[in-house]
């Protein structure tokens, strides 16, 4: 009976880690796509390394590597791989909790950095008349349905077409009323609850993964199977 339960645990770990590997691959591919489509580094250079595309890339790489490690460790009944899988999940859980706490503590400071970067980027775009920078603003203004940092007046007499509600702009165009700073803040606030729930669910999955890995590890060690390859 015990052997059957452990076999069930082994193949359950293999199946779950395989699904996580496929999800990680999808997240990685989506991160690459967003990196090509949404260029926020030019608009918010202070937080360029923490942009959504970069975070998706990092998460995709981590998920694929860790899940593959867990899949191989469970399939081969390798104590070294299972222990490494356990330690990596523990480290990831600690890092996630620390990052969530830092985000709560420094929420105001992060908002100020985003505001300064957006204003500096808009001023630079108007001054240098850079086509590349204007293209980045077009992407953001279309994605968030906004115009300028606070409103359309930020652009002065050089209002880009992405600020228009109608496309193409008419002789007397109507502009988007909300600024990108307010729209971004609202978007993050609306998704904050989902982010928190996602972190909690992810931590629960990681704890279950650690329990499964340690249970299988202890069984292999008691059985004296060693490091099967």
């Amino acid at each position: 009976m015990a052997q059957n339960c452990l076999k069930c645990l082994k193949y359950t770990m293999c199946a779950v880690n395989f699904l996580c590997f496929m999800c990680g691959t999808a997240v990685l591919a989506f991160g690459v796509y967003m990196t090509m489509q949404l260029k926020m580094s030019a608009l918010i250079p202070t937080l360029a390394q923490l942009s959504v595309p970069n975070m998706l890339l990092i998460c995709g790489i981590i998920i694929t590597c860790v899940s593959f490690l867990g899949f191989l460790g469970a399939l081969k009944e390798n104590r070294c791989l299972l222990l490494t899988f356990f330690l990596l999940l523990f480290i990831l859980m600690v890092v996630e909790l620390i990052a969530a706490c830092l985000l709560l503590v420094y929420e105001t400071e992060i908002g100020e950095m985003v505001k300064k970067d957006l204003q500096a980027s808009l001023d630079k775009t108007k001054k240098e008349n850079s086509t590349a920078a204007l293209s980045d603003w077009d992407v953001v203004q279309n994605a968030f349905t906004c115009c300028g940092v606070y409103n359309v007046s930020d652009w002065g007499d050089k209002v880009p077409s992405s600020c228009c509600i109608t496309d193409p702009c008419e002789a007397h165009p109507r502009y988007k009323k909300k600024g990108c700073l307010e729209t971004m803040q609202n978007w993050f606030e609306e998704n904050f609850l989902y982010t928190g729930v996602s972190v909690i669910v992810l931590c629960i999955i990681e704890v279950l993964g650690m329990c499964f890995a340690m249970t299988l590890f202890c069984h292999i060690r008691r059985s004296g199977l060693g490091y099967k390859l």
Side-chain angles (χ1 to χ4, degrees):
M1 183 65 179
Q3 290 293 330
N4 291 333
C5 289
L6 287 168
K7 282 185 178 180
C8 180
L9 177 62
K10 169 184 173 179
Y11 292 116
T12 300
M13 273 195 67
C14 289
V16 171
N17 278 290
F18 178 76
L19 289 176
C20 290
F21 179 83
M22 298 302 295
C23 291
T25 304
V27 170
L28 182 60
F30 187 58
V32 173
Y33 172 78
M34 286 196 67
T35 301
M36 298 173 62
Q37 296 295 324
L38 186 60
K39 300 177 181 179
M40 295 291 291
S41 59
L43 305 184
I44 313 176
T46 305
L47 302 176
Q49 301 303 320
L50 299 178
S51 63
V52 174
N54 286 347
M55 295 305 295
L56 287 175
L57 287 174
I58 294 172
C59 291
I61 293 172
I62 292 174
I63 292 172
T64 52
C65 292
V66 174
S67 58
F68 179 76
L69 192 66
F71 173 82
L72 194 61
L75 184 65
K76 296 295 185 179
E77 298 183 0
N78 188 302
R79 287 191 294 172
C80 181
L81 292 179
L82 287 172
L83 185 60
T84 305
F85 176 71
F86 173 87
L87 293 174
L88 286 176
L89 284 182
F90 178 76
I91 293 171
L92 285 175
M93 186 175 65
V94 172
V95 170
E96 288 163 8
L97 294 176
I98 292 175
C101 292
L102 290 176
L103 185 62
L104 288 173
V105 173
Y106 294 103
E107 180 181 1
T108 304
E109 288 79 358
I110 293 173
E112 288 296 322
M113 284 191 293
V114 171
K115 181 170 69 174
K116 290 179 180 178
D117 284 348
L118 284 175
Q119 188 63 57
S121 174
L122 188 140
D123 294 338
K124 183 179 179 181
T125 302
K126 290 195 299 182
K127 182 179 179 181
E128 299 180 357
N129 197 20
S130 172
T131 305
L134 183 59
S135 176
D136 293 340
W137 269 101
D138 287 338
V139 172
V140 172
Q141 290 179 153
N142 287 325
F144 289 95
T145 316
C146 59
C147 181
V149 179
Y150 299 101
N151 50 53
V152 66
S153 63
D154 294 333
W155 287 104
D157 58 348
K158 297 181 179 179
V159 181
S161 59
S162 57
C163 281
C164 297
I165 297 177
T166 56
D167 187 26
C169 284
E170 301 170 351
H172 301 284
R174 291 185 298 124
Y175 298 117
K176 300 167 184 174
K177 295 181 179 180
K178 290 187 177 181
C180 291
L181 179 62
E182 180 186 354
T183 308
M184 286 181 178
Q185 288 175 339
N186 293 337
W187 185 84
F188 282 111
E189 288 174 1
E190 290 171 0
N191 290 275
F192 190 79
L193 177 61
Y194 299 108
T195 303
V197 172
S198 299
V199 171
I200 293 173
V201 172
L202 190 58
C203 288
I204 293 174
I205 294 174
E206 288 169 346
V207 170
L208 291 175
M210 288 189 291
C211 292
F212 287 176
M214 188 52 62
T215 302
L216 196 56
F217 172 85
C218 293
H219 166 69
I220 295 171
R221 186 175 61 178
R222 284 197 303 267
S223 301
L225 297 177
Y227 299 91
K228 290 179 63 177
L229 298 175

